[in-house]
Amino acid sequence: MFKNMIVYRIAPQWQVELTQVEEALAKVPFLECGATQEKSLGWVPPRGDPHGPLAESVGGQWILRFMVESKVLPGSVLARRVKEKAERIEQETGRKPGKKESKELKDEAKLDLLPMAFTKQGSMWVWIDTTSRLLVLDTSSQGRADEVVTLLIEALPGLSVSLLNTQTSPQAAMSHWLKEQEPPVGFTVDRECELKSANEEKAVVRYARHPLDIEEVQAHIDAGKLPTKLALTWDDRVSFMLTEGLQIKKVSFLDTVFEGTKSDDGGFDTDVAIATGELVKLIPDLIEALGGEAESGVASAAQAVVNETSAAPASARGAAPSAPTPPARKTVGGGVVTGPKEVPVDTDPESAPF
């Protein structure tokens, strides 16, 4: 649970009960693909019970699970079926299909093949911490995260979130930690990192299972290479990979986390309690290590909610008009998604479990 994390901050104006979340998710349940359906998505019970609730609370932490199913239709198979159809038309009419007709043949061939196609499924854990106002998605793909956040905003009226944004960029911080050999308080630098050149050559140097406190690493940084990934351990309890886009990958809970627990203490509640109990402390420490949280994203998300719920402009109430806020990245169903000025790079999306 939570092997990768993309973290959002929930605007303070959003208040909702777990029962309301359950009712909203029940309108978009996951159903398997129909015979000619390419993709299906929706919510499934986090515990895995066939008719269980779609929103679970464990120790006050809300857990959801999102599921996607898609048909696997190889391009070569589709192309062969289209070719067969085109050849049949040419034999019967003596002419080759035109551009428009070829497109129609492709659509027709796809409908023929979809009922016979294999399906693949992927799921994503979603964690809502209403106390810390955090929304955490278990994925390393920004595109996939945006898809789920958009669905949540459509389902939950007034929900406004912003990508977590810090005063110091992860890349600048990682450069400092490696160059000066001064990791932040409570963290240690592990034995894996990736450095990438910012010039046109885009040269990449990767270290795996290798000490990083060496002059060679510092020389790469002096030469202009910047860290895009760095392995860290927090408080001797959680190891992870920090990326330049403030994504947290390869989350691993160390043995110290499980001290005092019995070997048979497994199950959904225990897994959620352990994961959220550690991560809810790690995330604030990581934000502090990156210079604290930048206000722009959260402020603009909060302001969007205020603007939509206000009956009259501030000037009409005798108050000074508020300062303009940064434009939202995405607005759907009354909610707003904001974030850093530039969306983090969607690095290595295929490694995501979802």
Side-chain angles (χ1 to χ4, degrees):
M1 183 175 287
F2 297 108
K3 297 299 182 183
N4 300 283
M5 297 194 297
I6 294 179
V7 185
Y8 295 81
R9 181 67 77 186
I10 300 173
Q13 283 78 5
W14 187 67
Q15 302 291 332
V16 70
E17 299 295 330
L18 185 64
T19 53
Q20 294 173 282
V21 176
E22 174 70 27
E23 292 172 2
L25 300 186
K27 297 177 182 178
V28 193
F30 171 75
L31 299 172
E32 293 184 353
C33 288
T36 58
Q37 188 177 0
E38 287 188 72
K39 184 178 180 181
S40 178
L41 50 82
W43 302 96
V44 296
R47 289 184 186 274
D49 300 335
H51 303 290
L54 299 175
E56 292 277 0
S57 178
V58 178
Q61 305 295 338
W62 298 355
I63 301 296
L64 323 173
R65 195 173 187 187
F66 185 76
M67 180 75 75
V68 170
E69 181 178 79
S70 57
K71 293 286 185 71
V72 180
L73 189 57
S76 59
V77 175
L78 180 60
R80 186 167 64 246
R81 179 59 65 94
V82 172
K83 183 180 179 182
E84 290 172 357
K85 288 178 174 291
E87 288 175 346
R88 189 177 304 118
I89 290 176
E90 188 173 359
Q91 290 173 359
E92 294 174 354
T93 66
R95 62 174 180 82
K96 291 185 177 181
K99 186 175 182 181
K100 181 180 179 181
E101 190 174 7
S102 294
K103 184 179 183 302
E104 293 173 350
L105 289 177
K106 184 176 181 180
D107 294 338
E108 184 182 310
K110 184 178 292 185
L111 288 175
D112 291 344
L113 294 169
L114 280 174
M116 298 179 285
F118 291 105
T119 59
K120 63 177 181 179
Q121 291 185 347
S123 65
M124 179 194 297
W125 294 106
V126 177
W127 165 30
I128 299 176
D129 181 350
T130 56
T131 302
S132 300
R133 294 188 295 108
L134 293 174
L135 169 65
V136 182
L137 306 185
D138 182 19
T139 180
S140 62
S141 167
Q142 189 62 58
R144 290 165 180 168
D146 284 345
E147 181 180 39
V148 174
V149 169
T150 298
L151 289 172
L152 283 173
I153 288 173
E154 291 174 341
L156 302 171
L159 174 62
S160 300
V161 302
S162 58
L163 275 167
L164 191 63
N165 194 18
T166 53
Q167 297 285 354
T168 303
S169 73
Q171 196 163 61
M174 292 187 291
S175 293
H176 174 77
W177 301 337
L178 287 172
K179 182 174 173 57
E180 304 299 330
Q181 289 301 305
E182 292 181 3
V185 175
F187 293 82
T188 56
V189 173
D190 293 340
R191 295 160 57 89
E192 185 174 354
C193 80
E194 179 181 276
L195 303 166
K196 185 177 293 185
S197 175
N199 59 28
E200 295 181 358
E201 295 181 357
K202 303 295 183 183
V204 177
V205 177
R206 295 185 180 92
Y207 291 89
R209 298 182 296 278
H210 195 288
L212 301 180
D213 55 346
I214 56 176
E215 293 183 1
E216 181 180 306
V217 171
Q218 298 176 29
H220 282 304
I221 295 175
D222 289 338
K225 292 186 179 67
L226 298 173
T228 56
K229 300 176 184 178
L230 179 63
L232 299 167
T233 292
W234 168 77
D235 199 28
D236 292 327
R237 300 178 69 81
V238 184
S239 292
F240 62 95
M241 181 81 74
L242 179 64
T243 76
E244 60 182 325
L246 195 46
Q247 296 173 0
I248 302 170
K249 297 184 177 184
K250 298 183 179 181
V251 177
S252 176
F253 300 100
L254 305 184
D255 291 342
T256 51
V257 171
F258 302 99
E259 290 179 357
T261 62
K262 299 177 182 178
S263 58
D264 58 348
D265 283 349
F268 178 82
D269 292 272
T270 300
D271 291 344
V272 171
I274 289 175
T276 59
E278 297 298 323
L279 297 175
V280 78
K281 292 180 286 187
L282 181 155
I283 292 172
D285 283 0
L286 181 59
I287 292 172
E288 184 178 350
L290 295 172
E293 192 165 357
E295 294 296 328
S296 58
V298 175
S300 59
Q303 188 62 44
V305 177
V306 173
N307 291 343
E308 289 187 6
T309 55
S310 297
S315 57
R317 299 192 302 270
S322 60
T325 56
R329 259 200 318 119
K330 189 179 295 180
T331 303
V332 183
V336 60
V337 179
T338 65
K341 191 176 221 180
E342 295 183 4
V343 180
V345 177
D346 196 359
T347 56
D348 196 17
E350 295 306 319
S351 67
F354 166 75

